[in-house]
Amino acid sequence: MASSGEEARSGSPGRAGTGTEPAADEAQLDTAEDFEVLEEEEGEEDEDDLSELPPLEDVGRPPAPPREDAQPPEQGAGDAAGDPEEWLDVLGNGLLKKKTLVPGQGVDSRPQKGQDVTIRLKATLEDGTVVEEDPALTFTLGDCDVLQALDLCVQLLEMGETALIVSEAKYCYGAQGRSPDVPPNASLTLEVELLAARDAPDLELLSGKEKIQLANRKRERGNFFYQQADYVLAINSYDIALRIVGSSSKVDFSPDEEAELLDVKVKCLNNLAASQLKLDHFKAALKSCNLVLEHQPGNIKALFRKGKVLAQQGEYREAIPILKAALKLEPSNKTIHAELSKLVKKHADQRNVETEMYRKMLGNPSTASTPRKCKDKLPWSIPWKWLFGATAIALGGVALSVVIAARN
């Protein structure tokens, strides 16, 4: 059952190592409600980088130990024995290999994707250092709840089989490693025994508490992938969590459980939007932000991200009032201030460009032609209306003189 899987993860000695940030930052990130900057991979910065965005909700190290990110380096000292023919090249690229140590119960006993499996796990570095050990690790096969190396290879194990899995860093903890015990770009050797496989629990029959735990576990996985800069897998985990939260139920939930499920949903949507922004999936990110705002119109992170989405699409006129609304809710936030100032300037530049474009389209005279009107009004010029009036008066005067002369 899902809850037992959570207990198995919680009991794993390596669970604190599934995150990438130092422990000192963990508590701060877990409780922060401001726009703390997430640590970005070196060299990953760009003008519209999400480092300016609010952090992921509750971004801490997922309480799952060797979950989807455990990275199996190459085999340890005693693991190289055996003929090369005994090793199965799982992906055909030489980066992930499997060798059977103890045969299992046959091909028909292999687990299926979507099932909850329980394994015994021991993970070591190339020098033989043990970095992970769990006598009963339970996870959902195919959901990326553990290292990719495990997710890909466990489905090839037969029930009762014990195998060695040698994996490059790409399918483990990658370029970042796992502080403090797994170095960057480290290969791992995994000794795995398949203990059990059973169908995943029916979501409709889960209690409120079980559903919350399961959804949070998937969300935490997404947070881990986000910190690893693997935004595709992060989106996958958030989507799974949202499906769990949104699934129908035959069990009545308490008001507190309903509120907690909504809170998990909002967090997943906010983090989903952040991941979608990283991949420039603006339409999807905008939809995720709008879903958050439907539930919480005053959610500052959703407002900020929505403003960012619109700004990156050049919709400055729409983005500015949204950021102003976020700033009104948190006037002291420097990140919103900076982003709003940047957008106001961009919007002004955009309007200037549009004005010049319209002037050219309509054939309006350029500003250089306006001074000519001033030249026409020199001090010595005489208006024609005044000249006509003066002439009429002069002619009238001459006529009057002729009449007076005639009378005399």
Side-chain angles (χ1 to χ4, degrees), residues 269-298:
L269 286 170
N270 252 336
N271 297 347
L272 182 61
S275 302
Q276 290 163 337
L277 262 171
K278 281 288 192 183
L279 298 175
D280 292 339
H281 295 171
F282 299 129
K283 185 176 180 180
L286 187 60
K287 180 179 179 181
S288 298
C289 292
N290 285 335
L291 287 172
V292 173
L293 296 173
E294 285 180 12
H295 297 292
Q296 297 179 358

Side-chain angles (χ1 to χ4, degrees), residues 397-408:
V398 171
L400 182 62
S401 300
V402 171
V403 171
I404 291 174
R407 287 183 179 179
N408 292 334

Side-chain angles (χ1 to χ4, degrees), residues 51-67:
S51 60
E52 296 179 327
L53 291 180
L56 289 171
E57 308 275 1
D58 296 332
V59 175
R61 296 175 183 167
R67 300 159 104 177

Side-chain angles (χ1 to χ4, degrees), residues 135 138 150 190 290 382 397:
T138 300
L150 284 175
L190 310 172
N290 285 335
I382 302 175

Side-chain angles (χ1 to χ4, degrees), residues 220-275:
E220 288 162 353
R221 240 13 233 161
N223 289 357
F224 173 87
F225 282 129
Y226 185 95
Q227 291 175 317
Q228 293 288 94
D230 196 335
Y231 307 115
V232 173
L233 288 182
I235 288 173
N236 177 70
S237 294
Y238 294 137
D239 279 338
I240 294 173
L242 288 168
R243 285 203 302 270
I244 294 169
V245 171
S247 62
S248 58
S249 179
K250 296 178 180 178
V251 180
D252 293 330
F253 299 155
S254 69
D256 287 344
E257 289 171 337
E258 292 282 6
E260 196 167 349
L261 280 169
L262 177 59
D263 183 60
V264 175
K265 180 180 181 179
V266 166
K267 288 178 178 180
C268 287
L269 286 170
N270 252 336
N271 297 347
L272 182 61
S275 302

Side-chain angles (χ1 to χ4, degrees), residues 21 25-32 36 38 55-56 58-60 227:
E21 296 189 357
D25 294 336
E26 185 177 311
Q28 190 177 22
L29 284 172
D30 282 342
T31 59
E36 248 181 288
L38 281 176
L56 289 171
D58 296 332
V59 175
Q227 291 175 317

